[in-house]
Amino acid sequence: AVAIGNAHGFYKGDPKLDFERLATIRNRVSVPLVLHGGSGITERDFKKVVSLGICKINIYTEMSAAAFAAVAKATSDTNFTRDYPTLLSFVRDKVKNVVEKKMQIFGSSGKGA
């Protein structure tokens, strides 16, 4: 995992990624590169880091926030079916939406086995 201005959790401001450092790292190593702390990075910056060799991006905080928001919505909605399997399915769909959007940005949609 590279350290180029990225951080875990939501950013308090706009992240300023060091693309030059990433390019230098990519040129010096032959292993797949990972970006931790991807939640909150712009689409433009994601595309740039992928073009510079990032192969895996962690977006746990965004997925977690989507799950939490889904639980909050479901539990405050009096019309929501009150059973655990329905809640799990609802939450999973909201997290899946986040992941699908990110996969499109990263250029990884349709590349799985």
Side-chain angles (χ1 to χ4, degrees), residues 41-82:
I41 292 176
T42 66
E43 182 174 336
R44 180 176 159 200
D45 284 354
F46 276 134
K47 289 181 178 185
K48 179 79 171 177
V49 298
V50 168
S51 77
L52 292 171
I54 292 293
C55 298
K56 178 182 181 279
I57 301 170
N58 294 358
I59 53 163
Y60 173 79
T61 301
E62 270 185 80
M63 294 185 324
S64 181
F68 188 86
V71 169
K73 181 177 181 180
T75 55
S76 66
D77 182 351
T78 57
N79 295 319
F80 192 84
T81 303
R82 301 281 181 195

PDB file of all heavy atoms in Angstrom, residues 41-82:
ATOM      1  N   ILE A  41     -12.010  10.398  -2.271  1.00  0.00           N
ATOM      2  CA  ILE A  41     -11.131  10.833  -3.360  1.00  0.00           C
ATOM      3  C   ILE A  41     -11.993  11.060  -4.604  1.00  0.00           C
ATOM      4  O   ILE A  41     -12.956  10.333  -4.850  1.00  0.00           O
ATOM      5  CB  ILE A  41     -10.024   9.783  -3.607  1.00  0.00           C
ATOM      6  CG1 ILE A  41      -9.076   9.755  -2.395  1.00  0.00           C
ATOM      7  CG2 ILE A  41      -9.268  10.054  -4.893  1.00  0.00           C
ATOM      8  CD1 ILE A  41      -7.998   8.696  -2.468  1.00  0.00           C
ATOM      9  N   THR A  42     -11.659  12.056  -5.377  1.00  0.00           N
ATOM     10  CA  THR A  42     -12.472  12.410  -6.544  1.00  0.00           C
ATOM     11  C   THR A  42     -12.347  11.364  -7.654  1.00  0.00           C
ATOM     12  O   THR A  42     -11.358  10.631  -7.744  1.00  0.00           O
ATOM     13  CB  THR A  42     -12.052  13.768  -7.127  1.00  0.00           C
ATOM     14  OG1 THR A  42     -10.726  13.657  -7.663  1.00  0.00           O
ATOM     15  CG2 THR A  42     -12.114  14.876  -6.090  1.00  0.00           C
ATOM     16  N   GLU A  43     -13.352  11.349  -8.514  1.00  0.00           N
ATOM     17  CA  GLU A  43     -13.344  10.450  -9.668  1.00  0.00           C
ATOM     18  C   GLU A  43     -12.106  10.709 -10.526  1.00  0.00           C
ATOM     19  O   GLU A  43     -11.444   9.773 -10.980  1.00  0.00           O
ATOM     20  CB  GLU A  43     -14.618  10.650 -10.485  1.00  0.00           C
ATOM     21  CG  GLU A  43     -14.720   9.736 -11.678  1.00  0.00           C
ATOM     22  CD  GLU A  43     -16.057   9.848 -12.400  1.00  0.00           C
ATOM     23  OE1 GLU A  43     -17.064  10.252 -11.789  1.00  0.00           O
ATOM     24  OE2 GLU A  43     -16.085   9.493 -13.599  1.00  0.00           O
ATOM     25  N   ARG A  44     -11.788  11.953 -10.731  1.00  0.00           N
ATOM     26  CA  ARG A  44     -10.615  12.325 -11.540  1.00  0.00           C
ATOM     27  C   ARG A  44      -9.328  11.764 -10.935  1.00  0.00           C
ATOM     28  O   ARG A  44      -8.488  11.201 -11.638  1.00  0.00           O
ATOM     29  CB  ARG A  44     -10.542  13.842 -11.650  1.00  0.00           C
ATOM     30  CG  ARG A  44      -9.392  14.342 -12.449  1.00  0.00           C
ATOM     31  CD  ARG A  44      -9.465  15.849 -12.568  1.00  0.00           C
ATOM     32  NE  ARG A  44      -8.145  16.348 -12.891  1.00  0.00           N
ATOM     33  CZ  ARG A  44      -7.759  17.569 -12.707  1.00  0.00           C
ATOM     34  NH1 ARG A  44      -8.585  18.457 -12.208  1.00  0.00           N
ATOM     35  NH2 ARG A  44      -6.556  17.947 -13.026  1.00  0.00           N
ATOM     36  N   ASP A  45      -9.184  11.911  -9.608  1.00  0.00           N
ATOM     37  CA  ASP A  45      -7.986  11.404  -8.943  1.00  0.00           C
ATOM     38  C   ASP A  45      -7.930   9.879  -8.947  1.00  0.00           C
ATOM     39  O   ASP A  45      -6.858   9.291  -9.080  1.00  0.00           O
ATOM     40  CB  ASP A  45      -7.876  11.947  -7.519  1.00  0.00           C
ATOM     41  CG  ASP A  45      -7.424  13.405  -7.491  1.00  0.00           C
ATOM     42  OD1 ASP A  45      -7.095  13.963  -8.556  1.00  0.00           O
ATOM     43  OD2 ASP A  45      -7.399  13.983  -6.385  1.00  0.00           O
ATOM     44  N   PHE A  46      -9.098   9.239  -8.823  1.00  0.00           N
ATOM     45  CA  PHE A  46      -9.117   7.773  -8.922  1.00  0.00           C
ATOM     46  C   PHE A  46      -8.596   7.330 -10.286  1.00  0.00           C
ATOM     47  O   PHE A  46      -7.767   6.425 -10.384  1.00  0.00           O
ATOM     48  CB  PHE A  46     -10.535   7.220  -8.730  1.00  0.00           C
ATOM     49  CG  PHE A  46     -10.942   7.029  -7.305  1.00  0.00           C
ATOM     50  CD1 PHE A  46     -12.179   7.455  -6.882  1.00  0.00           C
ATOM     51  CD2 PHE A  46     -10.120   6.392  -6.383  1.00  0.00           C
ATOM     52  CE1 PHE A  46     -12.590   7.265  -5.569  1.00  0.00           C
ATOM     53  CE2 PHE A  46     -10.510   6.195  -5.079  1.00  0.00           C
ATOM     54  CZ  PHE A  46     -11.758   6.643  -4.670  1.00  0.00           C
ATOM     55  N   LYS A  47      -9.085   7.949 -11.324  1.00  0.00           N
ATOM     56  CA  LYS A  47      -8.657   7.572 -12.672  1.00  0.00           C
ATOM     57  C   LYS A  47      -7.153   7.806 -12.845  1.00  0.00           C
ATOM     58  O   LYS A  47      -6.468   7.011 -13.485  1.00  0.00           O
ATOM     59  CB  LYS A  47      -9.475   8.325 -13.715  1.00  0.00           C
ATOM     60  CG  LYS A  47     -10.907   7.822 -13.761  1.00  0.00           C
ATOM     61  CD  LYS A  47     -11.742   8.535 -14.790  1.00  0.00           C
ATOM     62  CE  LYS A  47     -13.145   7.933 -14.790  1.00  0.00           C
ATOM     63  NZ  LYS A  47     -14.000   8.457 -15.811  1.00  0.00           N
ATOM     64  N   LYS A  48      -6.659   8.867 -12.256  1.00  0.00           N
ATOM     65  CA  LYS A  48      -5.227   9.177 -12.348  1.00  0.00           C
ATOM     66  C   LYS A  48      -4.400   8.116 -11.626  1.00  0.00           C
ATOM     67  O   LYS A  48      -3.397   7.638 -12.172  1.00  0.00           O
ATOM     68  CB  LYS A  48      -4.962  10.570 -11.764  1.00  0.00           C
ATOM     69  CG  LYS A  48      -3.531  11.002 -11.786  1.00  0.00           C
ATOM     70  CD  LYS A  48      -3.116  11.494 -13.142  1.00  0.00           C
ATOM     71  CE  LYS A  48      -1.731  12.114 -13.061  1.00  0.00           C
ATOM     72  NZ  LYS A  48      -1.265  12.546 -14.344  1.00  0.00           N
ATOM     73  N   VAL A  49      -4.786   7.741 -10.393  1.00  0.00           N
ATOM     74  CA  VAL A  49      -3.979   6.753  -9.655  1.00  0.00           C
ATOM     75  C   VAL A  49      -4.022   5.391 -10.342  1.00  0.00           C
ATOM     76  O   VAL A  49      -3.013   4.682 -10.373  1.00  0.00           O
ATOM     77  CB  VAL A  49      -4.359   6.641  -8.148  1.00  0.00           C
ATOM     78  CG1 VAL A  49      -4.130   7.956  -7.432  1.00  0.00           C
ATOM     79  CG2 VAL A  49      -5.761   6.119  -7.926  1.00  0.00           C
ATOM     80  N   VAL A  50      -5.160   5.043 -10.932  1.00  0.00           N
ATOM     81  CA  VAL A  50      -5.242   3.777 -11.680  1.00  0.00           C
ATOM     82  C   VAL A  50      -4.307   3.838 -12.880  1.00  0.00           C
ATOM     83  O   VAL A  50      -3.575   2.888 -13.163  1.00  0.00           O
ATOM     84  CB  VAL A  50      -6.696   3.474 -12.097  1.00  0.00           C
ATOM     85  CG1 VAL A  50      -6.755   2.332 -13.108  1.00  0.00           C
ATOM     86  CG2 VAL A  50      -7.543   3.137 -10.866  1.00  0.00           C
ATOM     87  N   SER A  51      -4.275   4.967 -13.568  1.00  0.00           N
ATOM     88  CA  SER A  51      -3.392   5.108 -14.730  1.00  0.00           C
ATOM     89  C   SER A  51      -1.921   5.036 -14.332  1.00  0.00           C
ATOM     90  O   SER A  51      -1.071   4.699 -15.145  1.00  0.00           O
ATOM     91  CB  SER A  51      -3.675   6.422 -15.475  1.00  0.00           C
ATOM     92  OG  SER A  51      -3.116   7.533 -14.788  1.00  0.00           O
ATOM     93  N   LEU A  52      -1.636   5.351 -13.057  1.00  0.00           N
ATOM     94  CA  LEU A  52      -0.251   5.323 -12.566  1.00  0.00           C
ATOM     95  C   LEU A  52       0.091   4.016 -11.849  1.00  0.00           C
ATOM     96  O   LEU A  52       1.138   3.940 -11.212  1.00  0.00           O
ATOM     97  CB  LEU A  52      -0.009   6.523 -11.639  1.00  0.00           C
ATOM     98  CG  LEU A  52      -0.026   7.881 -12.332  1.00  0.00           C
ATOM     99  CD1 LEU A  52      -0.001   9.008 -11.301  1.00  0.00           C
ATOM    100  CD2 LEU A  52       1.140   8.009 -13.300  1.00  0.00           C
ATOM    101  N   GLY A  53      -0.782   3.019 -11.938  1.00  0.00           N
ATOM    102  CA  GLY A  53      -0.414   1.699 -11.443  1.00  0.00           C
ATOM    103  C   GLY A  53      -1.128   1.168 -10.222  1.00  0.00           C
ATOM    104  O   GLY A  53      -0.839   0.062  -9.783  1.00  0.00           O
ATOM    105  N   ILE A  54      -2.073   1.910  -9.663  1.00  0.00           N
ATOM    106  CA  ILE A  54      -2.827   1.369  -8.524  1.00  0.00           C
ATOM    107  C   ILE A  54      -3.729   0.244  -9.033  1.00  0.00           C
ATOM    108  O   ILE A  54      -4.469   0.418  -9.995  1.00  0.00           O
ATOM    109  CB  ILE A  54      -3.658   2.468  -7.829  1.00  0.00           C
ATOM    110  CG1 ILE A  54      -2.752   3.479  -7.141  1.00  0.00           C
ATOM    111  CG2 ILE A  54      -4.648   1.858  -6.835  1.00  0.00           C
ATOM    112  CD1 ILE A  54      -1.957   2.936  -5.959  1.00  0.00           C
ATOM    113  N   CYS A  55      -3.658  -0.916  -8.361  1.00  0.00           N
ATOM    114  CA  CYS A  55      -4.418  -2.099  -8.781  1.00  0.00           C
ATOM    115  C   CYS A  55      -5.568  -2.435  -7.841  1.00  0.00           C
ATOM    116  O   CYS A  55      -6.447  -3.205  -8.206  1.00  0.00           O
ATOM    117  CB  CYS A  55      -3.497  -3.305  -8.865  1.00  0.00           C
ATOM    118  SG  CYS A  55      -2.194  -3.128 -10.073  1.00  0.00           S
ATOM    119  N   LYS A  56      -5.541  -1.899  -6.625  1.00  0.00           N
ATOM    120  CA  LYS A  56      -6.581  -2.174  -5.632  1.00  0.00           C
ATOM    121  C   LYS A  56      -6.811  -0.900  -4.830  1.00  0.00           C
ATOM    122  O   LYS A  56      -5.865  -0.244  -4.430  1.00  0.00           O
ATOM    123  CB  LYS A  56      -6.160  -3.301  -4.688  1.00  0.00           C
ATOM    124  CG  LYS A  56      -7.170  -3.613  -3.603  1.00  0.00           C
ATOM    125  CD  LYS A  56      -6.650  -4.722  -2.689  1.00  0.00           C
ATOM    126  CE  LYS A  56      -7.641  -5.071  -1.611  1.00  0.00           C
ATOM    127  NZ  LYS A  56      -7.633  -4.169  -0.483  1.00  0.00           N
ATOM    128  N   ILE A  57      -8.096  -0.571  -4.619  1.00  0.00           N
ATOM    129  CA  ILE A  57      -8.451   0.638  -3.878  1.00  0.00           C
ATOM    130  C   ILE A  57      -9.428   0.268  -2.781  1.00  0.00           C
ATOM    131  O   ILE A  57     -10.437  -0.393  -3.044  1.00  0.00           O
ATOM    132  CB  ILE A  57      -9.074   1.700  -4.806  1.00  0.00           C
ATOM    133  CG1 ILE A  57      -8.098   2.063  -5.930  1.00  0.00           C
ATOM    134  CG2 ILE A  57      -9.481   2.931  -4.014  1.00  0.00           C
ATOM    135  CD1 ILE A  57      -8.697   2.908  -7.032  1.00  0.00           C
ATOM    136  N   ASN A  58      -9.134   0.691  -1.552  1.00  0.00           N
ATOM    137  CA  ASN A  58     -10.008   0.428  -0.419  1.00  0.00           C
ATOM    138  C   ASN A  58     -10.967   1.591  -0.215  1.00  0.00           C
ATOM    139  O   ASN A  58     -10.537   2.746  -0.137  1.00  0.00           O
ATOM    140  CB  ASN A  58      -9.188   0.211   0.851  1.00  0.00           C
ATOM    141  CG  ASN A  58      -8.349  -1.049   0.786  1.00  0.00           C
ATOM    142  OD1 ASN A  58      -8.389  -1.796  -0.171  1.00  0.00           O
ATOM    143  ND2 ASN A  58      -7.579  -1.281   1.819  1.00  0.00           N
ATOM    144  N   ILE A  59     -12.262   1.264  -0.113  1.00  0.00           N
ATOM    145  CA  ILE A  59     -13.294   2.281   0.088  1.00  0.00           C
ATOM    146  C   ILE A  59     -14.218   1.867   1.234  1.00  0.00           C
ATOM    147  O   ILE A  59     -15.421   2.116   1.199  1.00  0.00           O
ATOM    148  CB  ILE A  59     -14.105   2.525  -1.203  1.00  0.00           C
ATOM    149  CG1 ILE A  59     -14.661   1.215  -1.747  1.00  0.00           C
ATOM    150  CG2 ILE A  59     -13.264   3.240  -2.244  1.00  0.00           C
ATOM    151  CD1 ILE A  59     -15.778   1.385  -2.756  1.00  0.00           C
ATOM    152  N   TYR A  60     -13.654   1.256   2.255  1.00  0.00           N
ATOM    153  CA  TYR A  60     -14.459   0.732   3.366  1.00  0.00           C
ATOM    154  C   TYR A  60     -15.327   1.818   4.007  1.00  0.00           C
ATOM    155  O   TYR A  60     -16.503   1.571   4.312  1.00  0.00           O
ATOM    156  CB  TYR A  60     -13.572   0.089   4.436  1.00  0.00           C
ATOM    157  CG  TYR A  60     -14.368  -0.300   5.651  1.00  0.00           C
ATOM    158  CD1 TYR A  60     -15.139  -1.460   5.648  1.00  0.00           C
ATOM    159  CD2 TYR A  60     -14.405   0.522   6.766  1.00  0.00           C
ATOM    160  CE1 TYR A  60     -15.910  -1.793   6.735  1.00  0.00           C
ATOM    161  CE2 TYR A  60     -15.183   0.194   7.863  1.00  0.00           C
ATOM    162  CZ  TYR A  60     -15.928  -0.966   7.848  1.00  0.00           C
ATOM    163  OH  TYR A  60     -16.698  -1.289   8.927  1.00  0.00           O
ATOM    164  N   THR A  61     -14.792   2.988   4.237  1.00  0.00           N
ATOM    165  CA  THR A  61     -15.546   4.031   4.938  1.00  0.00           C
ATOM    166  C   THR A  61     -16.812   4.390   4.175  1.00  0.00           C
ATOM    167  O   THR A  61     -17.882   4.539   4.769  1.00  0.00           O
ATOM    168  CB  THR A  61     -14.662   5.271   5.176  1.00  0.00           C
ATOM    169  OG1 THR A  61     -13.535   4.878   5.957  1.00  0.00           O
ATOM    170  CG2 THR A  61     -15.416   6.369   5.900  1.00  0.00           C
ATOM    171  N   GLU A  62     -16.736   4.505   2.858  1.00  0.00           N
ATOM    172  CA  GLU A  62     -17.929   4.810   2.061  1.00  0.00           C
ATOM    173  C   GLU A  62     -18.932   3.674   2.105  1.00  0.00           C
ATOM    174  O   GLU A  62     -20.141   3.906   2.183  1.00  0.00           O
ATOM    175  CB  GLU A  62     -17.552   5.112   0.614  1.00  0.00           C
ATOM    176  CG  GLU A  62     -17.273   6.577   0.374  1.00  0.00           C
ATOM    177  CD  GLU A  62     -17.023   6.860  -1.092  1.00  0.00           C
ATOM    178  OE1 GLU A  62     -18.003   6.971  -1.852  1.00  0.00           O
ATOM    179  OE2 GLU A  62     -15.849   6.985  -1.462  1.00  0.00           O
ATOM    180  N   MET A  63     -18.444   2.449   2.048  1.00  0.00           N
ATOM    181  CA  MET A  63     -19.350   1.301   2.130  1.00  0.00           C
ATOM    182  C   MET A  63     -20.019   1.253   3.502  1.00  0.00           C
ATOM    183  O   MET A  63     -21.223   1.004   3.613  1.00  0.00           O
ATOM    184  CB  MET A  63     -18.597  -0.002   1.855  1.00  0.00           C
ATOM    185  CG  MET A  63     -18.084  -0.104   0.441  1.00  0.00           C
ATOM    186  SD  MET A  63     -17.290  -1.690   0.000  1.00  0.00           S
ATOM    187  CE  MET A  63     -16.448  -2.179   1.456  1.00  0.00           C
ATOM    188  N   SER A  64     -19.253   1.490   4.547  1.00  0.00           N
ATOM    189  CA  SER A  64     -19.781   1.488   5.906  1.00  0.00           C
ATOM    190  C   SER A  64     -20.823   2.589   6.095  1.00  0.00           C
ATOM    191  O   SER A  64     -21.875   2.373   6.707  1.00  0.00           O
ATOM    192  CB  SER A  64     -18.627   1.670   6.898  1.00  0.00           C
ATOM    193  OG  SER A  64     -19.087   1.643   8.214  1.00  0.00           O
ATOM    194  N   ALA A  65     -20.548   3.768   5.565  1.00  0.00           N
ATOM    195  CA  ALA A  65     -21.493   4.884   5.672  1.00  0.00           C
ATOM    196  C   ALA A  65     -22.797   4.552   4.942  1.00  0.00           C
ATOM    197  O   ALA A  65     -23.888   4.879   5.429  1.00  0.00           O
ATOM    198  CB  ALA A  65     -20.870   6.161   5.117  1.00  0.00           C
ATOM    199  N   ALA A  66     -22.701   3.906   3.787  1.00  0.00           N
ATOM    200  CA  ALA A  66     -23.902   3.518   3.037  1.00  0.00           C
ATOM    201  C   ALA A  66     -24.713   2.495   3.834  1.00  0.00           C
ATOM    202  O   ALA A  66     -25.953   2.574   3.878  1.00  0.00           O
ATOM    203  CB  ALA A  66     -23.516   2.948   1.678  1.00  0.00           C
ATOM    204  N   ALA A  67     -24.036   1.553   4.467  1.00  0.00           N
ATOM    205  CA  ALA A  67     -24.723   0.554   5.282  1.00  0.00           C
ATOM    206  C   ALA A  67     -25.412   1.208   6.478  1.00  0.00           C
ATOM    207  O   ALA A  67     -26.574   0.914   6.779  1.00  0.00           O
ATOM    208  CB  ALA A  67     -23.729  -0.514   5.749  1.00  0.00           C
ATOM    209  N   PHE A  68     -24.706   2.090   7.155  1.00  0.00           N
ATOM    210  CA  PHE A  68     -25.267   2.776   8.318  1.00  0.00           C
ATOM    211  C   PHE A  68     -26.495   3.602   7.921  1.00  0.00           C
ATOM    212  O   PHE A  68     -27.520   3.585   8.607  1.00  0.00           O
ATOM    213  CB  PHE A  68     -24.209   3.658   8.979  1.00  0.00           C
ATOM    214  CG  PHE A  68     -24.656   4.233  10.287  1.00  0.00           C
ATOM    215  CD1 PHE A  68     -24.495   3.516  11.460  1.00  0.00           C
ATOM    216  CD2 PHE A  68     -25.237   5.487  10.343  1.00  0.00           C
ATOM    217  CE1 PHE A  68     -24.916   4.039  12.672  1.00  0.00           C
ATOM    218  CE2 PHE A  68     -25.658   6.023  11.546  1.00  0.00           C
ATOM    219  CZ  PHE A  68     -25.504   5.293  12.723  1.00  0.00           C
ATOM    220  N   ALA A  69     -26.393   4.334   6.815  1.00  0.00           N
ATOM    221  CA  ALA A  69     -27.515   5.153   6.340  1.00  0.00           C
ATOM    222  C   ALA A  69     -28.715   4.270   5.988  1.00  0.00           C
ATOM    223  O   ALA A  69     -29.862   4.634   6.259  1.00  0.00           O
ATOM    224  CB  ALA A  69     -27.089   5.991   5.133  1.00  0.00           C
ATOM    225  N   ALA A  70     -28.448   3.107   5.402  1.00  0.00           N
ATOM    226  CA  ALA A  70     -29.531   2.187   5.052  1.00  0.00           C
ATOM    227  C   ALA A  70     -30.233   1.662   6.299  1.00  0.00           C
ATOM    228  O   ALA A  70     -31.466   1.581   6.348  1.00  0.00           O
ATOM    229  CB  ALA A  70     -28.993   1.026   4.214  1.00  0.00           C
ATOM    230  N   VAL A  71     -29.456   1.309   7.320  1.00  0.00           N
ATOM    231  CA  VAL A  71     -30.048   0.844   8.577  1.00  0.00           C
ATOM    232  C   VAL A  71     -30.884   1.955   9.206  1.00  0.00           C
ATOM    233  O   VAL A  71     -32.012   1.730   9.660  1.00  0.00           O
ATOM    234  CB  VAL A  71     -28.967   0.341   9.558  1.00  0.00           C
ATOM    235  CG1 VAL A  71     -29.549   0.108  10.949  1.00  0.00           C
ATOM    236  CG2 VAL A  71     -28.321  -0.931   9.034  1.00  0.00           C
ATOM    237  N   ALA A  72     -30.337   3.168   9.219  1.00  0.00           N
ATOM    238  CA  ALA A  72     -31.062   4.302   9.799  1.00  0.00           C
ATOM    239  C   ALA A  72     -32.378   4.544   9.057  1.00  0.00           C
ATOM    240  O   ALA A  72     -33.422   4.762   9.677  1.00  0.00           O
ATOM    241  CB  ALA A  72     -30.186   5.554   9.769  1.00  0.00           C
ATOM    242  N   LYS A  73     -32.329   4.488   7.741  1.00  0.00           N
ATOM    243  CA  LYS A  73     -33.539   4.702   6.945  1.00  0.00           C
ATOM    244  C   LYS A  73     -34.560   3.603   7.203  1.00  0.00           C
ATOM    245  O   LYS A  73     -35.744   3.876   7.416  1.00  0.00           O
ATOM    246  CB  LYS A  73     -33.199   4.756   5.460  1.00  0.00           C
ATOM    247  CG  LYS A  73     -34.397   4.988   4.571  1.00  0.00           C
ATOM    248  CD  LYS A  73     -34.028   5.117   3.113  1.00  0.00           C
ATOM    249  CE  LYS A  73     -35.279   5.379   2.298  1.00  0.00           C
ATOM    250  NZ  LYS A  73     -35.007   5.525   0.884  1.00  0.00           N
ATOM    251  N   ALA A  74     -34.110   2.367   7.199  1.00  0.00           N
ATOM    252  CA  ALA A  74     -35.024   1.237   7.387  1.00  0.00           C
ATOM    253  C   ALA A  74     -35.668   1.258   8.775  1.00  0.00           C
ATOM    254  O   ALA A  74     -36.866   0.997   8.911  1.00  0.00           O
ATOM    255  CB  ALA A  74     -34.282  -0.075   7.177  1.00  0.00           C
ATOM    256  N   THR A  75     -34.895   1.578   9.782  1.00  0.00           N
ATOM    257  CA  THR A  75     -35.432   1.538  11.142  1.00  0.00           C
ATOM    258  C   THR A  75     -36.318   2.741  11.459  1.00  0.00           C
ATOM    259  O   THR A  75     -37.105   2.690  12.396  1.00  0.00           O
ATOM    260  CB  THR A  75     -34.309   1.427  12.191  1.00  0.00           C
ATOM    261  OG1 THR A  75     -33.381   2.497  12.016  1.00  0.00           O
ATOM    262  CG2 THR A  75     -33.582   0.097  12.068  1.00  0.00           C
ATOM    263  N   SER A  76     -36.214   3.807  10.680  1.00  0.00           N
ATOM    264  CA  SER A  76     -37.079   4.966  10.920  1.00  0.00           C
ATOM    265  C   SER A  76     -38.332   4.935  10.044  1.00  0.00           C
ATOM    266  O   SER A  76     -39.261   5.707  10.268  1.00  0.00           O
ATOM    267  CB  SER A  76     -36.312   6.260  10.678  1.00  0.00           C
ATOM    268  OG  SER A  76     -35.970   6.389   9.314  1.00  0.00           O
ATOM    269  N   ASP A  77     -38.375   4.048   9.077  1.00  0.00           N
ATOM    270  CA  ASP A  77     -39.510   3.940   8.162  1.00  0.00           C
ATOM    271  C   ASP A  77     -40.530   2.960   8.741  1.00  0.00           C
ATOM    272  O   ASP A  77     -40.278   1.757   8.807  1.00  0.00           O
ATOM    273  CB  ASP A  77     -39.022   3.469   6.795  1.00  0.00           C
ATOM    274  CG  ASP A  77     -40.125   3.377   5.751  1.00  0.00           C
ATOM    275  OD1 ASP A  77     -41.315   3.517   6.091  1.00  0.00           O
ATOM    276  OD2 ASP A  77     -39.782   3.152   4.575  1.00  0.00           O
ATOM    277  N   THR A  78     -41.688   3.467   9.130  1.00  0.00           N
ATOM    278  CA  THR A  78     -42.709   2.593   9.739  1.00  0.00           C
ATOM    279  C   THR A  78     -43.286   1.593   8.740  1.00  0.00           C
ATOM    280  O   THR A  78     -43.883   0.600   9.148  1.00  0.00           O
ATOM    281  CB  THR A  78     -43.854   3.438  10.335  1.00  0.00           C
ATOM    282  OG1 THR A  78     -44.403   4.260   9.311  1.00  0.00           O
ATOM    283  CG2 THR A  78     -43.350   4.289  11.490  1.00  0.00           C
ATOM    284  N   ASN A  79     -43.108   1.826   7.446  1.00  0.00           N
ATOM    285  CA  ASN A  79     -43.609   0.894   6.434  1.00  0.00           C
ATOM    286  C   ASN A  79     -42.601  -0.189   6.058  1.00  0.00           C
ATOM    287  O   ASN A  79     -42.922  -1.081   5.287  1.00  0.00           O
ATOM    288  CB  ASN A  79     -44.019   1.658   5.174  1.00  0.00           C
ATOM    289  CG  ASN A  79     -45.194   2.575   5.423  1.00  0.00           C
ATOM    290  OD1 ASN A  79     -46.136   2.216   6.119  1.00  0.00           O
ATOM    291  ND2 ASN A  79     -45.128   3.778   4.876  1.00  0.00           N
ATOM    292  N   PHE A  80     -41.376  -0.088   6.593  1.00  0.00           N
ATOM    293  CA  PHE A  80     -40.346  -1.080   6.262  1.00  0.00           C
ATOM    294  C   PHE A  80     -40.673  -2.405   6.935  1.00  0.00           C
ATOM    295  O   PHE A  80     -41.025  -2.446   8.117  1.00  0.00           O
ATOM    296  CB  PHE A  80     -38.970  -0.585   6.728  1.00  0.00           C
ATOM    297  CG  PHE A  80     -37.829  -1.394   6.192  1.00  0.00           C
ATOM    298  CD1 PHE A  80     -37.304  -1.137   4.938  1.00  0.00           C
ATOM    299  CD2 PHE A  80     -37.276  -2.433   6.937  1.00  0.00           C
ATOM    300  CE1 PHE A  80     -36.260  -1.874   4.428  1.00  0.00           C
ATOM    301  CE2 PHE A  80     -36.228  -3.187   6.435  1.00  0.00           C
ATOM    302  CZ  PHE A  80     -35.716  -2.904   5.181  1.00  0.00           C
ATOM    303  N   THR A  81     -40.570  -3.482   6.193  1.00  0.00           N
ATOM    304  CA  THR A  81     -40.822  -4.812   6.747  1.00  0.00           C
ATOM    305  C   THR A  81     -39.819  -5.089   7.849  1.00  0.00           C
ATOM    306  O   THR A  81     -38.614  -4.995   7.637  1.00  0.00           O
ATOM    307  CB  THR A  81     -40.701  -5.891   5.645  1.00  0.00           C
ATOM    308  OG1 THR A  81     -41.616  -5.566   4.605  1.00  0.00           O
ATOM    309  CG2 THR A  81     -41.001  -7.264   6.188  1.00  0.00           C
ATOM    310  N   ARG A  82     -40.294  -5.433   9.015  1.00  0.00           N
ATOM    311  CA  ARG A  82     -39.444  -5.589  10.201  1.00  0.00           C
ATOM    312  C   ARG A  82     -38.946  -7.018  10.359  1.00  0.00           C
ATOM    313  O   ARG A  82     -39.313  -7.729  11.286  1.00  0.00           O
ATOM    314  CB  ARG A  82     -40.208  -5.182  11.469  1.00  0.00           C
ATOM    315  CG  ARG A  82     -40.709  -3.771  11.456  1.00  0.00           C
ATOM    316  CD  ARG A  82     -39.612  -2.825  11.785  1.00  0.00           C
ATOM    317  NE  ARG A  82     -40.132  -1.459  11.799  1.00  0.00           N
ATOM    318  CZ  ARG A  82     -39.377  -0.416  11.769  1.00  0.00           C
ATOM    319  NH1 ARG A  82     -38.083  -0.523  11.725  1.00  0.00           N
ATOM    320  NH2 ARG A  82     -39.903   0.784  11.774  1.00  0.00           N
TER     321      ARG A  82
END
